[in-house]
Amino acid sequence: MKEIVLAGGCFWGVEEYFSRIDGVIETKVGYANGNTENPTYEEVCTNTTGHAEACHVKYDETVLPLEELLNRFWRIIDPTLLNRQGPDIGSQYRTGIYYMEEEDLPTIMKTFEEQKKKYDKPIVTEVEPLKVFYEAEEYHQKYLKKNPNGYCHIDLNA
C-alpha cells in the first residue's frame, strides 16, 4: 500500500471523493504541514497554525497508479487559487500534494507540469514532503457519509 496526503480545500468533500475511487483503501482527514502540535479545528480556522485541511489517502498502486490518483485530484481543485477553494477562504484551504516517499516526486511533478499547460495563471498548489499530519476530530471523519446532505464544494462525480 502507498500513501499520500492531498489538500484540496474543505476536507469533507476531498475525503468523500477519494473514498469512492476503486483502489483507495482508506481515507482520513486531518491537518497537514503546519506549526502547531495537535491542533483543533477551531485553532486551524484562526489562520495561525500553518496547517492545511487535508486528506490522508492509502491506496493500492496496482489498482490505482499514483499518476491516475493525482489526475483525479487535479480535477476537483482550482490550482490557481491561493488559500481558497470554492467559497472557503483561508490558508487552511490551500491546495497541496504532500508526499511521503521521494520516489513519488517525479510522477507528482509530471502531473504538475501537465496542469500548467491548462491555465493562464500560475499554479499555486504546494508540492512538499509531508512534515506532519494530525488526524482531525472524529466528527470530521467520513463527514459526508454521516451527513449525506452536508456541505461540499466539489463535484463528487468528477
Side-chain angles (χ1 to χ4, degrees), residues 25-66:
I25 308 304
E26 180 185 313
T27 58
K28 60 185 169 188
V29 296
Y31 313 113
N33 278 23
N35 309 312
T36 303
E37 287 188 34
N38 296 306
T40 64
Y41 178 70
E42 289 73 22
E43 289 170 332
V44 171
C45 288
T46 66
N47 259 332
T48 60
T49 67
H51 285 284
E53 286 193 19
C55 182
H56 179 278
V57 179
K58 189 181 287 186
Y59 63 101
D60 181 344
E61 196 172 34
T62 65
V63 176
L64 179 65
L66 178 58

Short mmCIF file of all heavy atoms in Angstrom, two decimals, residues 25-66:
data_model
loop_
_atom_site.label_atom_id
_atom_site.label_comp_id
_atom_site.label_asym_id
_atom_site.label_seq_id
_atom_site.Cartn_x
_atom_site.Cartn_y
_atom_site.Cartn_z
N ILE A 25 -7.88 2.47 -0.42
CA ILE A 25 -8.12 1.52 0.67
C ILE A 25 -8.69 2.21 1.91
O ILE A 25 -9.56 1.70 2.58
CB ILE A 25 -6.80 0.80 1.06
CG1 ILE A 25 -6.13 0.18 -0.18
CG2 ILE A 25 -7.01 -0.22 2.15
CD1 ILE A 25 -6.97 -0.77 -0.97
N GLU A 26 -8.15 3.40 2.18
CA GLU A 26 -8.54 4.09 3.41
C GLU A 26 -8.32 5.60 3.24
O GLU A 26 -7.38 6.02 2.57
CB GLU A 26 -7.68 3.59 4.57
CG GLU A 26 -7.94 4.21 5.90
CD GLU A 26 -6.95 3.72 6.95
OE1 GLU A 26 -6.72 2.50 7.03
OE2 GLU A 26 -6.41 4.57 7.68
N THR A 27 -9.20 6.38 3.85
CA THR A 27 -9.04 7.83 3.89
C THR A 27 -9.25 8.30 5.31
O THR A 27 -10.00 7.69 6.08
CB THR A 27 -10.06 8.55 2.98
OG1 THR A 27 -11.38 8.19 3.41
CG2 THR A 27 -9.87 8.20 1.52
N LYS A 28 -8.57 9.38 5.66
CA LYS A 28 -8.84 10.06 6.93
C LYS A 28 -8.47 11.52 6.75
O LYS A 28 -7.59 11.86 5.96
CB LYS A 28 -8.10 9.43 8.09
CG LYS A 28 -6.60 9.41 7.97
CD LYS A 28 -5.99 8.63 9.13
CE LYS A 28 -4.51 8.39 8.87
NZ LYS A 28 -3.92 7.51 9.83
N VAL A 29 -9.20 12.39 7.41
CA VAL A 29 -8.94 13.81 7.29
C VAL A 29 -8.14 14.31 8.48
O VAL A 29 -8.18 13.73 9.56
CB VAL A 29 -10.24 14.63 7.11
CG1 VAL A 29 -10.94 14.27 5.81
CG2 VAL A 29 -11.18 14.47 8.29
N GLY A 30 -7.41 15.40 8.22
CA GLY A 30 -6.60 15.97 9.28
C GLY A 30 -5.95 17.27 8.84
O GLY A 30 -6.35 17.88 7.85
N TYR A 31 -4.94 17.63 9.59
CA TYR A 31 -4.27 18.90 9.42
C TYR A 31 -2.81 18.64 9.07
O TYR A 31 -2.11 17.92 9.79
CB TYR A 31 -4.40 19.72 10.71
CG TYR A 31 -5.83 19.71 11.24
CD1 TYR A 31 -6.16 19.08 12.43
CD2 TYR A 31 -6.86 20.28 10.49
CE1 TYR A 31 -7.46 19.05 12.90
CE2 TYR A 31 -8.17 20.26 10.95
CZ TYR A 31 -8.47 19.64 12.15
OH TYR A 31 -9.77 19.60 12.59
N ALA A 32 -2.35 19.23 7.96
CA ALA A 32 -1.03 18.90 7.43
C ALA A 32 -0.10 20.11 7.35
O ALA A 32 -0.53 21.21 7.03
CB ALA A 32 -1.17 18.29 6.04
N ASN A 33 1.15 19.82 7.62
CA ASN A 33 2.30 20.70 7.36
C ASN A 33 2.22 22.07 8.02
O ASN A 33 2.72 23.04 7.48
CB ASN A 33 2.55 20.82 5.86
CG ASN A 33 3.35 19.63 5.35
OD1 ASN A 33 3.35 18.57 5.95
ND2 ASN A 33 4.04 19.81 4.25
N GLY A 34 1.64 22.12 9.21
CA GLY A 34 1.62 23.37 9.96
C GLY A 34 2.64 23.36 11.07
O GLY A 34 3.50 22.49 11.14
N ASN A 35 2.51 24.34 11.96
CA ASN A 35 3.49 24.53 13.03
C ASN A 35 2.96 24.14 14.41
O ASN A 35 3.75 23.90 15.31
CB ASN A 35 3.92 26.00 13.08
CG ASN A 35 4.37 26.47 11.71
OD1 ASN A 35 5.14 25.81 11.04
ND2 ASN A 35 3.86 27.62 11.29
N THR A 36 1.66 24.11 14.59
CA THR A 36 1.06 23.83 15.90
C THR A 36 0.90 22.33 16.09
O THR A 36 0.39 21.65 15.20
CB THR A 36 -0.33 24.52 15.99
OG1 THR A 36 -0.16 25.91 15.74
CG2 THR A 36 -0.96 24.31 17.35
N GLU A 37 1.33 21.83 17.25
CA GLU A 37 1.17 20.40 17.54
C GLU A 37 -0.27 20.11 17.93
O GLU A 37 -0.88 20.86 18.69
CB GLU A 37 2.10 19.98 18.68
CG GLU A 37 3.56 19.89 18.27
CD GLU A 37 4.43 19.29 19.36
OE1 GLU A 37 3.96 18.41 20.10
OE2 GLU A 37 5.58 19.72 19.46
N ASN A 38 -0.80 19.01 17.39
CA ASN A 38 -2.15 18.54 17.71
C ASN A 38 -3.19 19.66 17.70
O ASN A 38 -3.89 19.87 18.69
CB ASN A 38 -2.16 17.83 19.07
CG ASN A 38 -1.32 16.59 19.05
OD1 ASN A 38 -1.51 15.72 18.20
ND2 ASN A 38 -0.36 16.49 19.95
N PRO A 39 -3.31 20.38 16.60
CA PRO A 39 -4.26 21.50 16.58
C PRO A 39 -5.70 21.01 16.58
O PRO A 39 -6.00 19.91 16.13
CB PRO A 39 -3.94 22.19 15.25
CG PRO A 39 -3.49 21.07 14.36
CD PRO A 39 -2.70 20.16 15.28
N THR A 40 -6.57 21.86 17.07
CA THR A 40 -8.00 21.59 16.98
C THR A 40 -8.52 22.27 15.72
O THR A 40 -7.87 23.15 15.14
CB THR A 40 -8.75 22.18 18.18
OG1 THR A 40 -8.62 23.61 18.15
CG2 THR A 40 -8.24 21.62 19.50
N TYR A 41 -9.71 21.88 15.30
CA TYR A 41 -10.34 22.51 14.13
C TYR A 41 -10.47 24.02 14.36
O TYR A 41 -10.19 24.82 13.46
CB TYR A 41 -11.70 21.87 13.89
CG TYR A 41 -12.46 22.48 12.74
CD1 TYR A 41 -12.03 22.29 11.43
CD2 TYR A 41 -13.59 23.26 12.96
CE1 TYR A 41 -12.72 22.86 10.36
CE2 TYR A 41 -14.29 23.82 11.91
CZ TYR A 41 -13.85 23.61 10.61
OH TYR A 41 -14.53 24.17 9.56
N GLU A 42 -10.88 24.39 15.55
CA GLU A 42 -11.06 25.80 15.86
C GLU A 42 -9.74 26.56 15.72
O GLU A 42 -9.71 27.68 15.21
CB GLU A 42 -11.63 25.98 17.28
CG GLU A 42 -13.08 25.54 17.42
CD GLU A 42 -13.31 24.03 17.39
OE1 GLU A 42 -12.36 23.25 17.67
OE2 GLU A 42 -14.44 23.62 17.05
N GLU A 43 -8.64 25.96 16.15
CA GLU A 43 -7.33 26.60 16.02
C GLU A 43 -6.92 26.74 14.56
O GLU A 43 -6.42 27.78 14.13
CB GLU A 43 -6.26 25.81 16.78
CG GLU A 43 -6.39 25.90 18.28
CD GLU A 43 -5.47 24.93 19.02
OE1 GLU A 43 -5.13 23.86 18.47
OE2 GLU A 43 -5.10 25.26 20.16
N VAL A 44 -7.15 25.68 13.78
CA VAL A 44 -6.79 25.71 12.36
C VAL A 44 -7.57 26.82 11.65
O VAL A 44 -7.04 27.51 10.78
CB VAL A 44 -7.02 24.33 11.71
CG1 VAL A 44 -6.87 24.39 10.19
CG2 VAL A 44 -6.03 23.31 12.29
N CYS A 45 -8.82 27.03 12.04
CA CYS A 45 -9.66 28.06 11.42
C CYS A 45 -9.22 29.48 11.75
O CYS A 45 -9.69 30.43 11.12
CB CYS A 45 -11.11 27.87 11.83
SG CYS A 45 -11.87 26.44 11.04
N THR A 46 -8.30 29.66 12.68
CA THR A 46 -7.82 31.01 13.02
C THR A 46 -6.75 31.51 12.05
O THR A 46 -6.34 32.66 12.14
CB THR A 46 -7.23 31.06 14.45
OG1 THR A 46 -6.04 30.25 14.47
CG2 THR A 46 -8.22 30.61 15.50
N ASN A 47 -6.28 30.64 11.14
CA ASN A 47 -5.24 31.02 10.18
C ASN A 47 -3.88 31.24 10.83
O ASN A 47 -3.02 31.90 10.26
CB ASN A 47 -5.62 32.28 9.42
CG ASN A 47 -6.14 32.01 8.04
OD1 ASN A 47 -5.79 31.02 7.42
ND2 ASN A 47 -6.98 32.90 7.55
N THR A 48 -3.67 30.71 12.03
CA THR A 48 -2.41 30.94 12.73
C THR A 48 -1.57 29.68 12.92
O THR A 48 -0.44 29.77 13.39
CB THR A 48 -2.67 31.55 14.13
OG1 THR A 48 -3.47 30.64 14.89
CG2 THR A 48 -3.38 32.90 14.03
N THR A 49 -2.10 28.52 12.55
CA THR A 49 -1.38 27.26 12.81
C THR A 49 -0.49 26.84 11.65
O THR A 49 0.38 26.00 11.82
CB THR A 49 -2.37 26.11 13.07
OG1 THR A 49 -3.10 25.84 11.87
CG2 THR A 49 -3.33 26.43 14.21
N GLY A 50 -0.73 27.38 10.47
CA GLY A 50 0.02 26.98 9.29
C GLY A 50 -0.46 25.67 8.66
O GLY A 50 0.07 25.25 7.64
N HIS A 51 -1.45 25.04 9.26
CA HIS A 51 -1.94 23.75 8.75
C HIS A 51 -2.92 23.93 7.59
O HIS A 51 -3.65 24.91 7.54
CB HIS A 51 -2.64 22.96 9.86
CG HIS A 51 -1.70 22.35 10.83
ND1 HIS A 51 -0.95 21.23 10.55
CD2 HIS A 51 -1.35 22.72 12.09
CE1 HIS A 51 -0.20 20.92 11.59
NE2 HIS A 51 -0.42 21.83 12.53
N ALA A 52 -2.92 22.94 6.70
CA ALA A 52 -3.92 22.85 5.64
C ALA A 52 -4.88 21.72 6.00
O ALA A 52 -4.45 20.69 6.53
CB ALA A 52 -3.25 22.52 4.30
N GLU A 53 -6.16 21.92 5.73
CA GLU A 53 -7.10 20.81 5.84
C GLU A 53 -6.71 19.84 4.73
O GLU A 53 -6.54 20.23 3.58
CB GLU A 53 -8.55 21.28 5.63
CG GLU A 53 -9.10 22.04 6.78
CD GLU A 53 -10.62 22.23 6.69
OE1 GLU A 53 -11.29 21.48 5.95
OE2 GLU A 53 -11.12 23.12 7.39
N ALA A 54 -6.54 18.57 5.09
CA ALA A 54 -6.00 17.62 4.11
C ALA A 54 -6.61 16.24 4.33
O ALA A 54 -7.19 15.94 5.37
CB ALA A 54 -4.48 17.55 4.24
N CYS A 55 -6.43 15.42 3.31
CA CYS A 55 -6.93 14.04 3.35
C CYS A 55 -5.76 13.08 3.14
O CYS A 55 -5.06 13.16 2.14
CB CYS A 55 -7.98 13.85 2.25
SG CYS A 55 -8.70 12.18 2.25
N HIS A 56 -5.58 12.20 4.09
CA HIS A 56 -4.57 11.15 4.00
C HIS A 56 -5.21 10.00 3.22
O HIS A 56 -6.27 9.50 3.59
CB HIS A 56 -4.19 10.71 5.42
CG HIS A 56 -3.19 9.62 5.46
ND1 HIS A 56 -3.52 8.30 5.31
CD2 HIS A 56 -1.84 9.66 5.63
CE1 HIS A 56 -2.42 7.57 5.40
NE2 HIS A 56 -1.40 8.37 5.58
N VAL A 57 -4.57 9.63 2.12
CA VAL A 57 -5.11 8.60 1.25
C VAL A 57 -4.16 7.41 1.23
O VAL A 57 -2.98 7.56 0.91
CB VAL A 57 -5.30 9.13 -0.20
CG1 VAL A 57 -5.86 8.04 -1.11
CG2 VAL A 57 -6.20 10.35 -0.21
N LYS A 58 -4.68 6.25 1.59
CA LYS A 58 -3.93 5.00 1.46
C LYS A 58 -4.53 4.26 0.27
O LYS A 58 -5.75 4.10 0.19
CB LYS A 58 -4.07 4.15 2.73
CG LYS A 58 -3.16 2.94 2.76
CD LYS A 58 -3.34 2.12 4.03
CE LYS A 58 -2.74 2.85 5.21
NZ LYS A 58 -2.77 2.03 6.45
N TYR A 59 -3.66 3.86 -0.66
CA TYR A 59 -4.18 3.27 -1.90
C TYR A 59 -3.30 2.12 -2.38
O TYR A 59 -2.13 2.00 -2.01
CB TYR A 59 -4.30 4.35 -2.99
CG TYR A 59 -2.99 4.98 -3.40
CD1 TYR A 59 -2.35 4.59 -4.57
CD2 TYR A 59 -2.39 5.95 -2.62
CE1 TYR A 59 -1.14 5.15 -4.95
CE2 TYR A 59 -1.18 6.52 -2.99
CZ TYR A 59 -0.56 6.12 -4.16
OH TYR A 59 0.64 6.67 -4.53
N ASP A 60 -3.91 1.28 -3.21
CA ASP A 60 -3.22 0.14 -3.81
C ASP A 60 -2.74 0.57 -5.19
O ASP A 60 -3.54 0.73 -6.10
CB ASP A 60 -4.19 -1.04 -3.90
CG ASP A 60 -3.56 -2.28 -4.50
OD1 ASP A 60 -2.48 -2.19 -5.12
OD2 ASP A 60 -4.18 -3.36 -4.35
N GLU A 61 -1.44 0.75 -5.34
CA GLU A 61 -0.89 1.28 -6.58
C GLU A 61 -1.05 0.30 -7.76
O GLU A 61 -1.00 0.71 -8.91
CB GLU A 61 0.58 1.66 -6.40
CG GLU A 61 1.07 2.54 -7.51
CD GLU A 61 2.46 3.10 -7.27
OE1 GLU A 61 3.30 2.41 -6.67
OE2 GLU A 61 2.70 4.23 -7.73
N THR A 62 -1.29 -0.97 -7.47
CA THR A 62 -1.52 -1.93 -8.58
C THR A 62 -2.91 -1.73 -9.19
O THR A 62 -3.14 -2.10 -10.34
CB THR A 62 -1.36 -3.39 -8.12
OG1 THR A 62 -2.38 -3.70 -7.16
CG2 THR A 62 0.02 -3.64 -7.52
N VAL A 63 -3.82 -1.15 -8.43
CA VAL A 63 -5.18 -0.87 -8.91
C VAL A 63 -5.30 0.59 -9.36
O VAL A 63 -5.94 0.90 -10.36
CB VAL A 63 -6.21 -1.16 -7.80
CG1 VAL A 63 -7.63 -0.80 -8.24
CG2 VAL A 63 -6.14 -2.62 -7.37
N LEU A 64 -4.67 1.48 -8.60
CA LEU A 64 -4.76 2.91 -8.83
C LEU A 64 -3.35 3.51 -8.82
O LEU A 64 -2.83 3.84 -7.76
CB LEU A 64 -5.62 3.56 -7.72
CG LEU A 64 -5.82 5.06 -7.79
CD1 LEU A 64 -6.61 5.47 -9.02
CD2 LEU A 64 -6.53 5.55 -6.52
N PRO A 65 -2.73 3.62 -9.99
CA PRO A 65 -1.39 4.20 -10.03
C PRO A 65 -1.40 5.66 -9.54
O PRO A 65 -2.41 6.36 -9.69
CB PRO A 65 -1.00 4.14 -11.51
CG PRO A 65 -1.94 3.16 -12.12
CD PRO A 65 -3.20 3.20 -11.30
N LEU A 66 -0.29 6.11 -8.99
CA LEU A 66 -0.21 7.46 -8.45
C LEU A 66 -0.60 8.51 -9.49
O LEU A 66 -1.33 9.46 -9.18
CB LEU A 66 1.21 7.75 -7.93
CG LEU A 66 1.44 9.16 -7.40
CD1 LEU A 66 0.49 9.49 -6.25
CD2 LEU A 66 2.90 9.33 -6.97
#
